[in-house]
Amino acid sequence: MGPDLTELLPFRPPLEWDAMLGYFALRAIPGVEVVAGGTYRRTVVVDGDPGVIEVSRAGDDHLLLRARLRDEEGLLHVARGVRVIMGLDADVELARAHLAGDPTVGPLVTARPGLRVPGTWDAFEIGVRAIIGQQVTVAGASTLTGRLVERHGKRVPGATPPGLTHTFPSPETLAEADLDGIGLTRARIRAIRGFAAAVAEERVRLDPSAPLDELVGSITAVPGVGPWTAHYIALRIGEPDALPASDLGLRRALAGASAPAVLPSADELTARADAWRPWRALAAVHLWSSGRAGSSAT
């Protein structure tokens, strides 16, 4: 890797920085991501070369990006990626105005106006993480994904911050990877390989500019990958109206203090969420962060 590079990333406040870091910390992939000391760190691949980035709060209206890359030419690409990860370009003011009058989501948005939808550096990475997270705890999914990375990721050369050792494996690698013995079920292994092959062959294009129905349809065409996973992937790559409606945490949060026996169904949640369009993803993040959702969101 090359020299240390820095850049300030401006944004329009407010930004719930601690909440964003908390979300990433719970879901950090061992070897690839670390959250510590108020800073988010991860490995990246830029033009085929490995690197390391770290992002910290530097003021009320900007973040500080530090990147160790092969050369300065990759810094612009990295800066754009970090803006996606942290949701810095999201129109939270417009979304807040739309959601503020909702009896369930409105008070949450008013209480935390700077909360944003957490993004991702690598859409394929978040897809694999979501597949592994099906019906598994958040901590369990992180552990299993870390084992996958240790076996099939590429080791980052040179000195790196503690906990960052590998880059996430490519679709081509995981399409043919041996995933036995790391704790995944046979069904999960087939789904990961199928998803990886579909991405490698461009049958699935993880492009947030694509219509939501088209993106979800292409992902759910992969055997073993359902609507919950597809919508969660869409949410994390920047689709503002994505909604993993069957998510247990969302249903708990919507029910509030009601008994578990009367949790709304996925269809009932979808109907209720029609009023949140086209900002259902942000509404979902507020519900997950409300303290009523438990830990079901991967």
Side-chain angles (χ1 to χ4, degrees), residues 37-120:
T39 300
Y40 173 79
R41 299 178 176 89
R42 69 160 294 131
T43 62
V44 297
V45 178
V46 179
D47 293 331
D49 295 308
V52 172
I53 64 172
E54 63 177 51
V55 188
S56 56
R57 187 76 179 255
D60 290 338
D61 61 357
H62 58 277
L63 302 180
L64 174 62
L65 165 64
R66 297 182 184 274
R68 187 176 301 174
L69 308 170
R70 185 187 64 176
D71 53 51
E72 291 188 31
E73 293 181 2
L75 185 59
L76 179 60
H77 173 70
V78 167
R80 289 172 178 165
V82 171
R83 298 191 71 85
V84 172
I85 294 172
M86 300 300 170
L88 298 187
D89 297 319
D91 196 340
V92 289
E93 188 171 311
L94 182 61
R96 185 167 65 245
H98 180 81
L99 296 171
D102 185 86
T104 302
V105 178
L108 303 176
V109 173
T110 300
R112 306 177 85 175
L115 191 63
R116 319 226 173 173
V117 178
T120 182

Side-chain angles (χ1 to χ4, degrees), residues 104 248-264 269 287 292:
T104 302
L248 181 59
L250 292 182
R251 293 160 57 210
R252 284 175 179 157
L254 188 62
S258 299
V262 295
L263 285 182
L269 190 150
L287 288 170
R292 302 194 300 261

